[in-house]
Amino acid sequence: MSFGSLKSLVAEAAIRGVTEARANIFGHVLNPTGQRSSHKILRKKLIGQKVAEWYPYDIKKDDPLVMARQEQERLNKLEMLKRRGKGPPKKGQGKRAAKRNK
Amino acid sequence: MRGKLSKMSEKRNIRDHKRRLLAAKYELRRKLYKAFCKDPDLPSDMRDKHRYKLSKLPRNSSFARVRNRCIFTGRPRSVYEFFRISRIVFRGLASRGPLMGIKKSSW
């Protein structure tokens, strides 16, 4: 039994030496005890740029005439609704607001 | 095809777009603070300070608040990340042809 433990001790020491040498060469960060460290967060790549580029650029924004026309159409529609009495209610008059204030 | 953008989906998409921009802007700082918080080797008051700073960042700069919406319809669910479109739009487009290399599989 002592032979077995001696052999395992030697083997462990050898493996430890190898891992330390490897970390030294390649610049790895070692954590043999497995404690919490901030390395896990810091080693991930930055994804902010990719996340921000999800929506494609709307080429209609380049042409001010088209934007003006769309805006005009939107206002016209709103005015039509208001004329019929269907526009948005005043502040504090909507369904939920009335219920809350009652 | 993208001429027909309804108003409701636009608003949601605009909000989501704002969140994405904020997240990209604050990302580096956020990561730094978080990493500092969790490092066990630092003194406890420094960790508290960083945790406080992390909590002070605007909420909309968190990546968890960003949702991948369909760019055509604004649907928040069942959006394929590869195409950035929802399953309904995908089906229509795929049948019509503009999607490169997509065809109905049968084997």
Side-chain angles (χ1 to χ4, degrees):
Chain A
M1 256 192 268
S2 65
F3 294 144
S5 71
L6 198 59
K7 190 166 154 192
S8 67
L9 276 180
V10 167
E12 271 176 40
I15 293 176
R16 212 176 321 130
V18 164
T19 45
E20 280 180 11
R22 179 170 54 213
N24 230 347
I25 299 172
F26 295 109
H28 294 163
V29 166
L30 269 190
N31 195 352
T33 50
Q35 283 173 332
R36 288 195 184 187
S37 100
S38 49
H39 182 60
K40 200 161 84 162
I41 307 175
L42 290 174
R43 76 175 170 204
K44 285 179 95 164
K45 301 202 187 97
L46 295 178
I47 51 169
Q49 187 59 29
K50 257 189 94 188
V51 159
E53 288 171 347
W54 176 265
Y55 294 105
Y57 180 64
D58 191 7
I59 53 170
K60 288 197 201 153
K61 289 204 194 127
D62 288 333
D63 191 358
L65 291 177
V66 167
M67 292 310 283
R69 186 156 47 93
Q70 266 186 341
E71 186 66 22
Q72 199 58 39
E73 281 174 8
R74 187 182 75 96
L75 292 171
N76 286 350
K77 198 178 201 183
L78 220 76
E79 204 198 296
M80 271 200 293
L81 288 172
K82 272 199 218 173
R83 227 182 302 142
R84 286 195 295 183
K86 303 253 181 209
K90 276 179 67 156
K91 190 139 173 130
Q93 306 284 0
K95 235 172 36 173
R96 270 179 94 208
K99 226 198 299 186
R100 189 166 24 138
N101 291 342
K102 195 175 53 132
Chain B
M1 216 258 203
R2 230 157 31 82
K4 186 87 180 63
L5 287 170
S6 89
K7 280 181 226 144
M8 164 115 153
S9 63
E10 272 286 88
K11 269 198 235 170
R12 296 257 191 282
N13 278 9
I14 290 172
R15 260 187 236 163
D16 191 50
H17 189 55
K18 268 203 289 200
R19 285 196 191 115
R20 281 171 187 270
L21 294 178
L22 274 182
K25 181 172 151 198
Y26 284 99
E27 178 203 15
L28 185 67
R29 264 200 267 174
R30 197 179 189 92
K31 243 164 90 97
L32 225 63
Y33 289 157
K34 187 161 158 187
F36 276 153
C37 285
K38 292 201 152 162
D39 194 348
D41 294 331
L42 289 182
S44 145
D45 56 340
M46 263 189 87
R47 284 166 77 180
D48 283 338
K49 186 169 81 130
H50 282 291
R51 203 162 47 215
Y52 172 75
K53 276 202 184 157
L54 182 62
S55 73
K56 278 289 174 223
L57 287 178
R59 280 209 192 151
N60 276 345
S61 65
S62 153
F63 284 114
R65 279 191 165 223
V66 154
R67 181 84 189 181
N68 287 347
R69 286 185 174 263
C70 166
I71 56 177
F72 287 91
T73 52
R75 197 155 197 271
R77 294 197 173 151
S78 73
V79 179
Y80 287 104
E81 226 179 281
F82 188 70
F83 300 99
R84 309 184 196 169
I85 53 181
S86 76
R87 58 176 175 87
I88 308 169
V89 183
F90 173 76
R91 188 169 179 276
L93 275 186
S95 315
R96 242 171 282 179
L99 295 177
M100 198 60 88
I102 306 280
K103 63 182 212 166
K104 283 180 76 106
S105 75
S106 61
W107 68 96

